[in-house]
Amino acid sequence: MSEAKTALRTTLRQARQELSPSQRAHETAATVAALIPLLEDRALASYVAVRGELDLLDLHRQCWSKNRPVWLPRVVGQQLTWHPLRDPTHLRLGSFSIPEPDPNQVPAEPLPTSTVLLVPGVGFAATGLRLGQGAGFYDRFLQGFSGLSLGVGFACQRHDDLPREPHDHPV
């Protein structure tokens, strides 16, 4: 099973990298526009895009302009902790070379119950199944998360025949 996931990750990452700048910009803008109405009365937990992921910085900026925090993850051991970031200057390079909140400036806090969690991935199926990077951080977090979780990616990352293992948790 892991060989099938590895091969599919390679294929989907390549498709994501081959997106034209205009297609990337168009899909990013459409995604941000679609997400804004969901956040009116809810907290936003998101991610910092790396390696060609759909970048939600414009959405984050909109929240910050309204003095609303954006909850961003930090890897601690095998878990994600969440930090209510109000200023992007409080990010530092963390695990896996991903920018994450500096815990000395922005301590971890539990996510509010009204949180919309935006989850990155390599592939997504219409059923909510998600193919992540392979370390299982989001799968472990999603097991105990009761809010609304949404997989976020480009159209080329849609793949309705994703392999599934018992530890894979849908969005």
PDB file of all heavy atoms in Angstrom, residues 47-69:
ATOM      1  N   TYR A  47      -2.697  26.739   7.233  1.00  0.00           N
ATOM      2  CA  TYR A  47      -1.335  26.251   7.078  1.00  0.00           C
ATOM      3  C   TYR A  47      -0.533  27.279   6.294  1.00  0.00           C
ATOM      4  O   TYR A  47      -1.099  28.153   5.637  1.00  0.00           O
ATOM      5  CB  TYR A  47      -1.319  24.896   6.365  1.00  0.00           C
ATOM      6  CG  TYR A  47      -1.885  24.944   4.962  1.00  0.00           C
ATOM      7  CD1 TYR A  47      -1.059  25.174   3.858  1.00  0.00           C
ATOM      8  CD2 TYR A  47      -3.245  24.792   4.732  1.00  0.00           C
ATOM      9  CE1 TYR A  47      -1.576  25.246   2.574  1.00  0.00           C
ATOM     10  CE2 TYR A  47      -3.772  24.857   3.445  1.00  0.00           C
ATOM     11  CZ  TYR A  47      -2.926  25.086   2.375  1.00  0.00           C
ATOM     12  OH  TYR A  47      -3.444  25.165   1.102  1.00  0.00           O
ATOM     13  N   VAL A  48       0.776  27.156   6.339  1.00  0.00           N
ATOM     14  CA  VAL A  48       1.666  27.977   5.518  1.00  0.00           C
ATOM     15  C   VAL A  48       2.085  27.103   4.342  1.00  0.00           C
ATOM     16  O   VAL A  48       2.651  26.019   4.535  1.00  0.00           O
ATOM     17  CB  VAL A  48       2.899  28.456   6.311  1.00  0.00           C
ATOM     18  CG1 VAL A  48       3.848  29.227   5.416  1.00  0.00           C
ATOM     19  CG2 VAL A  48       2.468  29.311   7.500  1.00  0.00           C
ATOM     20  N   ALA A  49       1.783  27.550   3.148  1.00  0.00           N
ATOM     21  CA  ALA A  49       2.051  26.752   1.948  1.00  0.00           C
ATOM     22  C   ALA A  49       3.552  26.603   1.692  1.00  0.00           C
ATOM     23  O   ALA A  49       4.316  27.555   1.829  1.00  0.00           O
ATOM     24  CB  ALA A  49       1.383  27.387   0.734  1.00  0.00           C
ATOM     25  N   VAL A  50       3.927  25.391   1.308  1.00  0.00           N
ATOM     26  CA  VAL A  50       5.304  25.085   0.913  1.00  0.00           C
ATOM     27  C   VAL A  50       5.265  24.145  -0.286  1.00  0.00           C
ATOM     28  O   VAL A  50       4.276  23.459  -0.521  1.00  0.00           O
ATOM     29  CB  VAL A  50       6.118  24.445   2.069  1.00  0.00           C
ATOM     30  CG1 VAL A  50       6.316  25.426   3.215  1.00  0.00           C
ATOM     31  CG2 VAL A  50       5.471  23.173   2.566  1.00  0.00           C
ATOM     32  N   ARG A  51       6.340  24.133  -1.023  1.00  0.00           N
ATOM     33  CA  ARG A  51       6.537  23.176  -2.122  1.00  0.00           C
ATOM     34  C   ARG A  51       5.349  23.090  -3.087  1.00  0.00           C
ATOM     35  O   ARG A  51       4.896  22.008  -3.443  1.00  0.00           O
ATOM     36  CB  ARG A  51       6.894  21.804  -1.563  1.00  0.00           C
ATOM     37  CG  ARG A  51       8.215  21.806  -0.783  1.00  0.00           C
ATOM     38  CD  ARG A  51       8.617  20.451  -0.265  1.00  0.00           C
ATOM     39  NE  ARG A  51       7.866  19.995   0.887  1.00  0.00           N
ATOM     40  CZ  ARG A  51       8.067  20.400   2.141  1.00  0.00           C
ATOM     41  NH1 ARG A  51       8.981  21.288   2.411  1.00  0.00           N
ATOM     42  NH2 ARG A  51       7.345  19.905   3.120  1.00  0.00           N
ATOM     43  N   GLY A  52       4.832  24.249  -3.482  1.00  0.00           N
ATOM     44  CA  GLY A  52       3.792  24.286  -4.504  1.00  0.00           C
ATOM     45  C   GLY A  52       2.373  24.119  -4.007  1.00  0.00           C
ATOM     46  O   GLY A  52       1.441  24.055  -4.814  1.00  0.00           O
ATOM     47  N   GLU A  53       2.148  24.042  -2.689  1.00  0.00           N
ATOM     48  CA  GLU A  53       0.786  23.929  -2.175  1.00  0.00           C
ATOM     49  C   GLU A  53       0.000  25.204  -2.495  1.00  0.00           C
ATOM     50  O   GLU A  53       0.585  26.264  -2.718  1.00  0.00           O
ATOM     51  CB  GLU A  53       0.810  23.730  -0.653  1.00  0.00           C
ATOM     52  CG  GLU A  53       1.384  22.406  -0.236  1.00  0.00           C
ATOM     53  CD  GLU A  53       1.552  22.276   1.272  1.00  0.00           C
ATOM     54  OE1 GLU A  53       1.748  23.299   1.965  1.00  0.00           O
ATOM     55  OE2 GLU A  53       1.513  21.133   1.753  1.00  0.00           O
ATOM     56  N   LEU A  54      -1.317  25.092  -2.469  1.00  0.00           N
ATOM     57  CA  LEU A  54      -2.168  26.249  -2.671  1.00  0.00           C
ATOM     58  C   LEU A  54      -1.929  27.216  -1.515  1.00  0.00           C
ATOM     59  O   LEU A  54      -2.060  26.852  -0.353  1.00  0.00           O
ATOM     60  CB  LEU A  54      -3.634  25.824  -2.733  1.00  0.00           C
ATOM     61  CG  LEU A  54      -4.573  26.888  -3.266  1.00  0.00           C
ATOM     62  CD1 LEU A  54      -5.623  26.264  -4.166  1.00  0.00           C
ATOM     63  CD2 LEU A  54      -5.210  27.672  -2.156  1.00  0.00           C
ATOM     64  N   ASP A  55      -1.546  28.445  -1.850  1.00  0.00           N
ATOM     65  CA  ASP A  55      -1.119  29.428  -0.864  1.00  0.00           C
ATOM     66  C   ASP A  55      -2.299  30.266  -0.397  1.00  0.00           C
ATOM     67  O   ASP A  55      -2.933  30.959  -1.195  1.00  0.00           O
ATOM     68  CB  ASP A  55      -0.040  30.322  -1.475  1.00  0.00           C
ATOM     69  CG  ASP A  55       0.661  31.194  -0.475  1.00  0.00           C
ATOM     70  OD1 ASP A  55       0.140  31.356   0.652  1.00  0.00           O
ATOM     71  OD2 ASP A  55       1.734  31.719  -0.808  1.00  0.00           O
ATOM     72  N   LEU A  56      -2.579  30.240   0.882  1.00  0.00           N
ATOM     73  CA  LEU A  56      -3.723  30.948   1.453  1.00  0.00           C
ATOM     74  C   LEU A  56      -3.335  32.249   2.143  1.00  0.00           C
ATOM     75  O   LEU A  56      -4.097  32.781   2.950  1.00  0.00           O
ATOM     76  CB  LEU A  56      -4.444  30.026   2.442  1.00  0.00           C
ATOM     77  CG  LEU A  56      -5.065  28.783   1.804  1.00  0.00           C
ATOM     78  CD1 LEU A  56      -5.558  27.820   2.865  1.00  0.00           C
ATOM     79  CD2 LEU A  56      -6.171  29.164   0.845  1.00  0.00           C
ATOM     80  N   LEU A  57      -2.172  32.801   1.812  1.00  0.00           N
ATOM     81  CA  LEU A  57      -1.711  34.024   2.460  1.00  0.00           C
ATOM     82  C   LEU A  57      -2.713  35.171   2.307  1.00  0.00           C
ATOM     83  O   LEU A  57      -2.930  35.935   3.247  1.00  0.00           O
ATOM     84  CB  LEU A  57      -0.334  34.437   1.938  1.00  0.00           C
ATOM     85  CG  LEU A  57       0.287  35.665   2.592  1.00  0.00           C
ATOM     86  CD1 LEU A  57       0.406  35.502   4.103  1.00  0.00           C
ATOM     87  CD2 LEU A  57       1.637  35.971   1.965  1.00  0.00           C
ATOM     88  N   ASP A  58      -3.366  35.298   1.149  1.00  0.00           N
ATOM     89  CA  ASP A  58      -4.366  36.368   0.980  1.00  0.00           C
ATOM     90  C   ASP A  58      -5.534  36.201   1.957  1.00  0.00           C
ATOM     91  O   ASP A  58      -6.049  37.185   2.490  1.00  0.00           O
ATOM     92  CB  ASP A  58      -4.886  36.421  -0.457  1.00  0.00           C
ATOM     93  CG  ASP A  58      -3.883  37.019  -1.420  1.00  0.00           C
ATOM     94  OD1 ASP A  58      -2.918  37.667  -0.960  1.00  0.00           O
ATOM     95  OD2 ASP A  58      -4.060  36.835  -2.634  1.00  0.00           O
ATOM     96  N   LEU A  59      -5.933  34.975   2.201  1.00  0.00           N
ATOM     97  CA  LEU A  59      -6.991  34.714   3.179  1.00  0.00           C
ATOM     98  C   LEU A  59      -6.511  35.074   4.582  1.00  0.00           C
ATOM     99  O   LEU A  59      -7.239  35.698   5.352  1.00  0.00           O
ATOM    100  CB  LEU A  59      -7.414  33.245   3.113  1.00  0.00           C
ATOM    101  CG  LEU A  59      -8.540  32.822   4.040  1.00  0.00           C
ATOM    102  CD1 LEU A  59      -9.827  33.560   3.712  1.00  0.00           C
ATOM    103  CD2 LEU A  59      -8.743  31.320   3.960  1.00  0.00           C
ATOM    104  N   HIS A  60      -5.293  34.696   4.908  1.00  0.00           N
ATOM    105  CA  HIS A  60      -4.720  35.035   6.211  1.00  0.00           C
ATOM    106  C   HIS A  60      -4.681  36.550   6.398  1.00  0.00           C
ATOM    107  O   HIS A  60      -5.058  37.065   7.458  1.00  0.00           O
ATOM    108  CB  HIS A  60      -3.308  34.462   6.347  1.00  0.00           C
ATOM    109  CG  HIS A  60      -3.249  32.979   6.225  1.00  0.00           C
ATOM    110  ND1 HIS A  60      -2.055  32.301   6.107  1.00  0.00           N
ATOM    111  CD2 HIS A  60      -4.217  32.022   6.180  1.00  0.00           C
ATOM    112  CE1 HIS A  60      -2.285  31.003   6.008  1.00  0.00           C
ATOM    113  NE2 HIS A  60      -3.593  30.817   6.054  1.00  0.00           N
ATOM    114  N   ARG A  61      -4.235  37.250   5.364  1.00  0.00           N
ATOM    115  CA  ARG A  61      -4.151  38.718   5.454  1.00  0.00           C
ATOM    116  C   ARG A  61      -5.524  39.347   5.697  1.00  0.00           C
ATOM    117  O   ARG A  61      -5.635  40.339   6.422  1.00  0.00           O
ATOM    118  CB  ARG A  61      -3.539  39.286   4.174  1.00  0.00           C
ATOM    119  CG  ARG A  61      -2.054  39.061   4.077  1.00  0.00           C
ATOM    120  CD  ARG A  61      -1.512  39.665   2.800  1.00  0.00           C
ATOM    121  NE  ARG A  61      -0.081  39.474   2.700  1.00  0.00           N
ATOM    122  CZ  ARG A  61       0.551  39.171   1.582  1.00  0.00           C
ATOM    123  NH1 ARG A  61      -0.102  39.059   0.435  1.00  0.00           N
ATOM    124  NH2 ARG A  61       1.859  39.003   1.590  1.00  0.00           N
ATOM    125  N   GLN A  62      -6.550  38.781   5.075  1.00  0.00           N
ATOM    126  CA  GLN A  62      -7.895  39.319   5.291  1.00  0.00           C
ATOM    127  C   GLN A  62      -8.314  39.153   6.747  1.00  0.00           C
ATOM    128  O   GLN A  62      -8.915  40.050   7.337  1.00  0.00           O
ATOM    129  CB  GLN A  62      -8.893  38.662   4.346  1.00  0.00           C
ATOM    130  CG  GLN A  62      -8.695  39.115   2.912  1.00  0.00           C
ATOM    131  CD  GLN A  62      -9.784  38.631   1.999  1.00  0.00           C
ATOM    132  OE1 GLN A  62     -10.954  38.631   2.377  1.00  0.00           O
ATOM    133  NE2 GLN A  62      -9.426  38.240   0.786  1.00  0.00           N
ATOM    134  N   CYS A  63      -8.000  38.024   7.330  1.00  0.00           N
ATOM    135  CA  CYS A  63      -8.308  37.811   8.753  1.00  0.00           C
ATOM    136  C   CYS A  63      -7.520  38.784   9.616  1.00  0.00           C
ATOM    137  O   CYS A  63      -8.085  39.422  10.511  1.00  0.00           O
ATOM    138  CB  CYS A  63      -7.980  36.379   9.166  1.00  0.00           C
ATOM    139  SG  CYS A  63      -9.105  35.151   8.489  1.00  0.00           S
ATOM    140  N   TRP A  64      -6.235  38.905   9.345  1.00  0.00           N
ATOM    141  CA  TRP A  64      -5.393  39.808  10.142  1.00  0.00           C
ATOM    142  C   TRP A  64      -5.856  41.255  10.013  1.00  0.00           C
ATOM    143  O   TRP A  64      -5.788  42.007  10.982  1.00  0.00           O
ATOM    144  CB  TRP A  64      -3.929  39.661   9.750  1.00  0.00           C
ATOM    145  CG  TRP A  64      -3.338  38.334  10.129  1.00  0.00           C
ATOM    146  CD1 TRP A  64      -3.675  37.572  11.216  1.00  0.00           C
ATOM    147  CD2 TRP A  64      -2.340  37.602   9.429  1.00  0.00           C
ATOM    148  NE1 TRP A  64      -2.938  36.418  11.232  1.00  0.00           N
ATOM    149  CE2 TRP A  64      -2.109  36.401  10.155  1.00  0.00           C
ATOM    150  CE3 TRP A  64      -1.615  37.829   8.273  1.00  0.00           C
ATOM    151  CZ2 TRP A  64      -1.180  35.452   9.748  1.00  0.00           C
ATOM    152  CZ3 TRP A  64      -0.685  36.886   7.873  1.00  0.00           C
ATOM    153  CH2 TRP A  64      -0.472  35.706   8.601  1.00  0.00           C
ATOM    154  N   SER A  65      -6.337  41.651   8.830  1.00  0.00           N
ATOM    155  CA  SER A  65      -6.798  43.038   8.654  1.00  0.00           C
ATOM    156  C   SER A  65      -8.038  43.321   9.495  1.00  0.00           C
ATOM    157  O   SER A  65      -8.347  44.467   9.784  1.00  0.00           O
ATOM    158  CB  SER A  65      -7.080  43.323   7.173  1.00  0.00           C
ATOM    159  OG  SER A  65      -8.281  42.689   6.766  1.00  0.00           O
ATOM    160  N   LYS A  66      -8.762  42.270   9.896  1.00  0.00           N
ATOM    161  CA  LYS A  66      -9.940  42.410  10.763  1.00  0.00           C
ATOM    162  C   LYS A  66      -9.592  42.096  12.221  1.00  0.00           C
ATOM    163  O   LYS A  66     -10.484  41.862  13.039  1.00  0.00           O
ATOM    164  CB  LYS A  66     -11.045  41.473  10.280  1.00  0.00           C
ATOM    165  CG  LYS A  66     -11.541  41.821   8.892  1.00  0.00           C
ATOM    166  CD  LYS A  66     -12.526  40.799   8.393  1.00  0.00           C
ATOM    167  CE  LYS A  66     -12.929  41.149   6.967  1.00  0.00           C
ATOM    168  NZ  LYS A  66     -13.736  40.099   6.366  1.00  0.00           N
ATOM    169  N   ASN A  67      -8.290  42.042  12.495  1.00  0.00           N
ATOM    170  CA  ASN A  67      -7.782  41.751  13.836  1.00  0.00           C
ATOM    171  C   ASN A  67      -8.237  40.382  14.349  1.00  0.00           C
ATOM    172  O   ASN A  67      -8.499  40.204  15.542  1.00  0.00           O
ATOM    173  CB  ASN A  67      -8.153  42.860  14.832  1.00  0.00           C
ATOM    174  CG  ASN A  67      -7.260  42.808  16.056  1.00  0.00           C
ATOM    175  OD1 ASN A  67      -6.092  42.411  15.967  1.00  0.00           O
ATOM    176  ND2 ASN A  67      -7.800  43.198  17.192  1.00  0.00           N
ATOM    177  N   ARG A  68      -8.341  39.444  13.422  1.00  0.00           N
ATOM    178  CA  ARG A  68      -8.696  38.079  13.785  1.00  0.00           C
ATOM    179  C   ARG A  68      -7.456  37.195  13.639  1.00  0.00           C
ATOM    180  O   ARG A  68      -6.728  37.304  12.657  1.00  0.00           O
ATOM    181  CB  ARG A  68      -9.802  37.563  12.865  1.00  0.00           C
ATOM    182  CG  ARG A  68     -11.104  38.326  13.050  1.00  0.00           C
ATOM    183  CD  ARG A  68     -12.159  37.849  12.118  1.00  0.00           C
ATOM    184  NE  ARG A  68     -12.490  36.468  12.417  1.00  0.00           N
ATOM    185  CZ  ARG A  68     -13.319  35.739  11.672  1.00  0.00           C
ATOM    186  NH1 ARG A  68     -13.891  36.252  10.615  1.00  0.00           N
ATOM    187  NH2 ARG A  68     -13.570  34.487  11.989  1.00  0.00           N
ATOM    188  N   PRO A  69      -7.220  36.305  14.589  1.00  0.00           N
ATOM    189  CA  PRO A  69      -6.046  35.444  14.467  1.00  0.00           C
ATOM    190  C   PRO A  69      -6.259  34.356  13.415  1.00  0.00           C
ATOM    191  O   PRO A  69      -7.392  34.001  13.081  1.00  0.00           O
ATOM    192  CB  PRO A  69      -5.923  34.812  15.850  1.00  0.00           C
ATOM    193  CG  PRO A  69      -7.316  34.792  16.373  1.00  0.00           C
ATOM    194  CD  PRO A  69      -7.976  36.036  15.813  1.00  0.00           C
TER     195      PRO A  69
END
